[in-house]
Amino acid sequence: MVRGLADPMRNLNLDETEFCLMRVIGLFDEDFGYLSEQGRNSSRQIRDYYIRVLIRHIHVFRSHMPEAEIGCRVSMVMLLISSITKLQHLTNDNIRLSETPIPASMGKYSYQLICGVCSDQATSRHYGIVSCNGCKGFFRRSIWNERAYKCRNGGACKIAKEHRNVCRACRLRRCLEAGMNPRAVQNERDHNAKRGDMSSRKEMSPSAAVQTDPLSCSPSHLTKSHLSGADAYYDEAVAILLSLEHRVMTRVDAPGSSSVTSPAHISSHVPFITAFNNPSIVTPRTPLVITGIRIATVDDALQDWRRAFVIYADWLNEFPEFKLFEHSDKMILAKKRFIPFYWWLLAYWTVQAGCDGVAYANGSYLPRIKELQCVPDVRQTCERMMKELA
Amino acid sequence: MVRGLADPMRNLNLDETEFCLMRVIGLFDEDFGYLSEQGRNSSRQIRDYYIRVLIRHIHVFRSHMPEAEIGCRVSMVMLLISSITKLQHLTNDNIRLSETPIPASMGKYSYQLICGVCSDQATSRHYGIVSCNGCKGFFRRSIWNERAYKCRNGGACKIAKEHRNVCRACRLRRCLEAGMNPRAVQNERDHNAKRGDMSSRKEMSPSAAVQTDPLSCSPSHLTKSHLSGADAYYDEAVAILLSLEHRVMTRVDAPGSSSVTSPAHISSHVPFITAFNNPSIVTPRTPLVITGIRIATVDDALQDWRRAFVIYADWLNEFPEFKLFEHSDKMILAKKRFIPFYWWLLAYWTVQAGCDGVAYANGSYLPRIKELQCVPDVRQTCERMMKELA
DNA sequence: AAGAGTCCAGGGTCCATGCCC
DNA sequence: TGGGCATGGACCCTGGACTCT
Ligand SMILES: [Zn+2]
Ligand SMILES: [Zn+2]
Ligand SMILES: [Zn+2]
Ligand SMILES: [Zn+2]
């Protein structure tokens, strides 16, 4: 069943810019009741501004999609933002990942198309997945003829370009596993005229052999530079955001920094405001390691929470628009929105790492499969951390 | 800005089955804390069952979409369901419609144009007759290229959506018989600097060399029966649901029915349970008029609320699985889930009516534009109604 | 606004090629 | 050696979304 919040996120295949923008929008979204009048206005303005930027971004970067799908994507993104903004705690449930493992092709934003069946070079999508011509034809013929092949190797054949014709049973199995949809195969059609034999065209006059077309086709309409003016504005907003993102994510404290004592949590029960203004007392800024190569322990989860808090504080303190708020509003916002912010961080790391679970920023991950988890309950962990910053 | 819950719904372009299923899932979704142990189990089972049916339905009816978009749709649908299930009140905000007006083409599921050639759904007239996009394109191409097809079946092929591509000779013949006018086909426009070398299509001579194509192909692979078994099961679930839907929506009380006194609200402060078990005391079952041709007054809104409640009660009382619950659980569920149910009804009516606002079931609608609204605030209205059923 | 034409992803067809009996 | 047939790259055709008049 597809229920976790992580699922729509994964299906959307968000890029980095979208992640950043959605996080920002979430920070300043809705539910302004607790802010001052002025804070409310600023908040709404910032939100609306970044929503415009995001919608723009989607339209530009998905311009190959039909309009309807873009609309669908925009709606879904908005729905996701508001769902996540409303999160009061992270629970095992709402960070839960899909039951289906990550398709290997996602997460890498490569533009080279690879056949999902045999890894040959592919030209486009066929029967629902990116696939090569060979696998396309093979699948259609198999479905039409209702072939039931038999493997002579116990069904364990690997399928690759070089030997994809060795075992039809396994090739067809791979096709289905990779997601080819038998329902997308249509009926046989009418026959075409023979090649070269143009008799079905009602015979054109021979004088028509002018062929005044010496390759006048310029490949220049590849740039869809329809848009300008406001675009510069929008590009700049994105650039600023990404650079802030990069700065905060790569910020590292010198190992022997004076304000840093030890990587441990000497700092229980610091007032929130102190921690927020000087986050390195919570934990030093260690480099982020998004690999998800080992299973997280309870300490990993706690430590990641601290590191994420430092990122949060650094990020907000550097975010230009945040400076517009009065001090009290700043604190209210900062307290209120850490959980959604952290959710976005985890979501992004998880996609980056491509591991089968929720990735933390110290190389560990919380496995999707309960039996492997060393962390009793995410929610408890989070609440414990929240208390730490009374 | 795209923020109202109605937007994603509109972008998804849900069909009737999806509406029904989503409503059912919402009824039995999450938040089971207040039910008895047994009620919780039933509820979860029903929900999961209908989620399976819904996912199945989406996969079947959107099988032309790429896999990733289907996944996206499924996720979005789930997100929508849970968002709407959480609604505690209808407010002007969460039933708010998009700022962009409805495209004229949507919402007219009512007129239902049929292609005169192949009986597919049609959008408008082409070349003189109501026809689908496929037949439009086919006719234009055939005329341009002066194609002379040859039927391999003695010219007796039936033309229908599913196999209209099997015999082009008969399809073209049907086009002409149905009244498509070759003279309505204009010349190719050439402005858009074509990239390809379409120059091969020059003027043709009148001599018609009919192509002879003594092919013996069997038109027999029309069956691609890979799938069955579970499909029947699923089809049946959908059929039952739609028939219930239809029954409830068309149920009308005889004008002079005894239990009915007057269309007014004599019935303030009836206990919920009484109203639920005998809904016609709330308001008689008037026919539903989903046209949205006049602006709603406060009375319209109130009356619609009552009518919707009657639909809700009728529907739940007839829904087979609802009978599995204990009496107390029934009441809890029924009280808890009217708002989301009503939301779905309004959403569906609005799409059906295609008016620029929220459609009620008595021919009126709440305009999108504030200045036109006669209803002060939807939320207040709803709350007032809720109190009526203390 | 209606109804022409345009575009193009992704269906299907064709057939040179090669494998197998 | 020849006929049967699967393969896959080149190409044709379809129809939904769109633009243009
Ligand atoms: Zn392949
Ligand atoms: Zn095999
Ligand atoms: Zn048609
Ligand atoms: Zn025919």
Side-chain angles (χ1 to χ4, degrees):
Chain A
M1 230 73 315
V2 194
R3 307 292 289 165
L5 279 176
D7 277 311
M9 195 230 30
R10 169 160 296 148
N11 278 323
L12 279 170
N13 202 191
L14 299 170
D15 63 32
E16 189 186 359
T17 307
E18 286 168 328
F19 266 111
C20 292
L21 287 167
M22 290 170 82
R23 237 173 39 211
V24 175
I25 295 166
L27 271 175
F28 298 99
D29 192 21
E30 310 208 350
D31 206 8
F32 306 116
Y34 43 86
L35 291 183
S36 70
E37 181 65 28
Q38 197 203 330
R40 232 171 316 184
N41 282 337
S42 308
S43 196
R44 194 175 293 118
Q45 275 174 25
I46 296 170
R47 181 198 66 178
D48 288 349
Y49 172 69
Y50 282 102
I51 287 179
R52 280 196 299 278
V53 173
L54 175 57
I55 290 178
R56 200 65 171 274
H57 176 82
I58 291 175
H59 275 269
V60 172
F61 278 76
R62 312 275 161 175
S63 55
H64 57 281
M65 287 176 157
E67 197 62 27
E69 274 154 43
I70 293 183
C72 186
R73 185 181 181 84
V74 168
S75 293
M76 179 133 176
V77 161
M78 293 302 158
L79 207 50
L80 239 195
I81 293 173
S82 65
S83 296
I84 288 162
T85 305
K86 288 190 193 109
L87 289 185
Q88 297 295 323
H89 350 259
L90 297 186
T91 65
N92 276 335
D93 194 52
N94 60 34
I95 67 167
R96 184 173 80 217
L97 294 174
S98 166
E99 255 98 85
T100 51
I102 310 166
S105 61
M106 286 182 71
K108 47 172 96 152
Y109 300 95
S110 65
Y111 288 96
Q112 175 93 11
L113 293 181
I114 301 286
C115 173
V117 177
C118 72
S119 308
D120 192 2
Q121 183 132 341
T123 54
S124 84
R125 198 180 267 289
H126 299 292
Y127 307 117
I129 65 167
V130 172
S131 57
C132 69
N133 272 318
C135 294
K136 164 196 171 189
F138 171 78
F139 188 68
R140 179 173 23 73
R141 287 190 297 269
S142 301
I143 298 297
W144 272 353
N145 300 326
E146 304 196 36
R147 306 303 286 259
Y149 306 114
K150 200 158 71 238
C151 173
R152 283 179 291 175
N153 189 19
C157 311
K158 294 261 178 293
I159 303 297
K161 175 179 166 57
E162 296 71 30
H163 47 268
R164 65 187 169 200
N165 284 317
V166 171
C167 177
R168 291 188 189 130
C170 291
R171 190 179 189 185
L172 181 55
R173 184 175 47 71
R174 271 292 301 152
C175 284
L176 292 165
E177 282 173 7
M180 279 196 173
N181 180 2
R183 293 171 194 272
V185 177
Q186 307 175 351
N187 289 328
E188 192 178 8
R189 291 192 183 163
D190 202 359
H191 290 232
N192 287 330
K194 298 274 183 310
R195 282 271 176 80
D197 171 16
M198 284 287 120
S199 67
S200 86
R201 262 89 163 152
K202 279 190 186 167
E203 165 187 327
M204 36 199 109
S205 73
S207 66
V210 188
Q211 288 287 54
T212 51
D213 208 345
L215 263 285
S216 63
C217 62
S218 62
S220 62
H221 6 232
L222 295 187
T223 61
K224 42 182 96 76
S225 57
H226 270 248
L227 352 108
S228 60
D231 275 339
Y233 189 56
Y234 134 81
D235 282 339
E236 199 188 325
V238 169
I240 291 174
L241 206 58
L242 286 181
S243 101
L244 166 58
E245 182 81 7
H246 192 251
R247 215 160 48 241
V248 170
M249 295 301 172
T250 53
R251 186 165 167 192
V252 174
D253 287 328
S257 169
S258 60
S259 73
V260 181
T261 45
S262 92
H265 21 79
I266 34 74
S267 50
S268 298
H269 300 95
V270 185
F272 181 85
I273 177 168
T274 316
F276 186 74
N277 287 332
N278 187 10
S280 64
I281 63 165
V282 175
T283 185
R285 297 181 183 86
T286 50
L288 304 184
V289 184
I290 321 291
T291 50
I293 48 174
R294 65 167 208 281
I295 291 177
T297 63
V298 176
D299 268 349
D300 283 324
L302 295 176
Q303 180 53 30
D304 190 61
W305 196 97
R306 287 190 202 97
R307 185 70 186 91
F309 180 82
V310 175
I311 292 172
Y312 180 62
D314 284 347
W315 192 93
L316 262 186
N317 283 322
E318 286 213 39
F319 187 63
E321 284 92 337
F322 191 62
K323 297 175 182 131
L324 299 175
F325 289 87
E326 285 172 19
H327 183 263
S328 61
D329 282 345
K330 277 187 186 175
M331 287 305 112
I332 294 173
L333 259 181
K335 273 186 193 164
K336 215 49 184 180
R337 291 295 159 88
F338 175 57
I339 292 292
F341 187 95
Y342 190 27
W343 193 97
W344 284 111
L345 282 183
L346 289 177
Y348 186 50
W349 293 339
T350 298
V351 170
Q352 270 193 305
C355 55
D356 191 17
V358 177
Y360 294 130
N362 55 11
S364 65
Y365 74 104
L366 177 70
R368 180 175 56 79
I369 298 155
K370 256 213 165 56
E371 287 67 39
L372 298 178
Q373 294 175 2
C374 304
V375 181
D377 183 59
V378 176
R379 174 160 177 178
Q380 278 179 22
T381 313
C382 288
E383 282 176 355
R384 183 167 143 202
M385 296 311 298
M386 282 312 247
K387 271 195 211 108
E388 217 172 81
L389 293 176
Chain B
M1 232 73 313
V2 195
R3 308 291 288 165
L5 279 176
D7 276 310
M9 196 231 31
R10 168 160 295 147
N11 277 323
L12 279 170
N13 202 190
L14 298 170
D15 62 34
E16 188 187 359
T17 308
E18 287 169 329
F19 267 111
C20 292
L21 287 168
M22 290 170 82
R23 237 173 42 213
V24 174
I25 295 166
L27 272 174
F28 298 99
D29 192 20
E30 310 208 352
D31 206 7
F32 306 116
Y34 44 85
L35 292 182
S36 70
E37 181 64 28
Q38 197 202 330
R40 234 170 315 182
N41 282 337
S42 308
S43 196
R44 195 175 292 120
Q45 274 173 27
I46 296 170
R47 181 199 67 179
D48 288 348
Y49 172 70
Y50 282 101
I51 286 179
R52 280 196 298 279
V53 174
L54 175 56
I55 291 178
R56 199 66 171 274
H57 177 83
I58 292 175
H59 275 268
V60 172
F61 279 76
R62 313 272 162 178
S63 57
H64 56 281
M65 285 178 158
E67 199 62 27
E69 275 154 40
I70 293 184
C72 185
R73 186 181 181 82
V74 168
S75 293
M76 180 135 176
V77 161
M78 293 302 158
L79 206 51
L80 238 195
I81 293 173
S82 64
S83 297
I84 288 161
T85 305
K86 289 192 193 107
L87 289 184
Q88 297 295 323
H89 351 260
L90 297 186
T91 66
N92 277 336
D93 194 51
N94 61 34
I95 67 167
R96 185 174 82 216
L97 295 174
S98 166
E99 255 97 84
T100 51
I102 309 165
S105 61
M106 286 185 69
K108 42 169 86 165
Y109 297 119
S110 32
Y111 306 120
Q112 191 88 323
L113 298 178
I114 301 286
C115 172
V117 177
C118 71
S119 308
D120 191 4
Q121 182 137 337
T123 53
S124 77
R125 303 173 71 86
H126 300 291
Y127 309 117
I129 65 167
V130 172
S131 58
C132 68
N133 273 316
C135 294
K136 164 196 169 188
F138 172 76
F139 189 68
R140 180 173 27 73
R141 286 189 299 267
S142 298
I143 298 296
W144 272 352
N145 297 327
E146 301 202 33
R147 301 296 293 268
Y149 309 112
K150 177 82 198 298
C151 174
R152 291 174 286 140
N153 189 21
C157 308
K158 294 260 180 293
I159 303 297
K161 175 180 165 59
E162 297 71 31
H163 46 267
R164 64 187 169 200
N165 284 313
V166 170
C167 179
R168 288 181 289 182
C170 293
R171 189 180 189 184
L172 182 55
R173 183 175 48 69
R174 273 290 303 153
C175 283
L176 292 164
E177 282 173 8
M180 278 196 174
N181 178 7
R183 292 168 175 282
V185 177
Q186 308 171 351
N187 282 326
E188 199 168 351
R189 293 173 189 167
D190 65 340
H191 52 82
N192 258 353
K194 267 182 245 36
R195 36 180 140 270
D197 57 356
M198 282 286 116
S199 60
S200 66
R201 193 184 309 114
K202 293 287 148 72
E203 63 257 79
M204 330 66 192
S205 83
S207 81
V210 173
Q211 158 201 8
T212 52
D213 204 349
L215 253 292
S216 61
C217 88
S218 62
S220 63
H221 343 250
L222 296 186
T223 61
K224 51 172 113 73
S225 59
H226 250 243
L227 352 112
S228 60
D231 274 340
Y233 188 59
Y234 133 82
D235 283 340
E236 199 188 325
V238 169
I240 292 174
L241 205 59
L242 286 181
S243 103
L244 167 58
E245 182 80 8
H246 192 251
R247 215 160 49 242
V248 170
M249 296 300 171
T250 54
R251 187 164 168 193
V252 174
D253 286 328
S257 168
S258 62
S259 73
V260 182
T261 46
S262 93
H265 20 81
I266 34 74
S267 51
S268 297
H269 300 96
V270 185
F272 180 86
I273 178 166
T274 315
F276 186 74
N277 288 333
N278 188 9
S280 64
I281 64 167
V282 175
T283 185
R285 297 183 184 83
T286 49
L288 304 185
V289 184
I290 321 290
T291 50
I293 49 175
R294 65 167 208 282
I295 291 177
T297 63
V298 176
D299 267 351
D300 283 323
L302 294 176
Q303 180 52 31
D304 191 62
W305 196 97
R306 289 191 201 94
R307 185 69 185 91
F309 180 82
V310 175
I311 292 173
Y312 179 62
D314 283 347
W315 192 93
L316 261 186
N317 282 322
E318 285 214 39
F319 187 64
E321 284 90 338
F322 190 62
K323 296 175 185 133
L324 300 175
F325 289 87
E326 284 172 19
H327 183 263
S328 61
D329 283 344
K330 278 186 185 174
M331 287 305 112
I332 293 174
L333 258 181
K335 274 186 192 162
K336 212 54 182 181
R337 291 297 157 89
F338 176 57
I339 292 292
F341 188 94
Y342 190 27
W343 194 96
W344 285 110
L345 283 182
L346 289 177
Y348 186 50
W349 293 339
T350 298
V351 170
Q352 269 193 308
C355 56
D356 190 18
V358 177
Y360 293 131
N362 55 10
S364 64
Y365 73 104
L366 176 70
R368 179 175 55 79
I369 299 157
K370 256 212 163 60
E371 287 67 37
L372 299 178
Q373 294 176 1
C374 304
V375 181
D377 182 60
V378 176
R379 174 160 176 178
Q380 277 179 22
T381 315
C382 287
E383 281 177 355
R384 182 167 143 202
M385 296 311 297
M386 281 313 247
K387 271 194 211 107
E388 217 172 81
L389 293 175

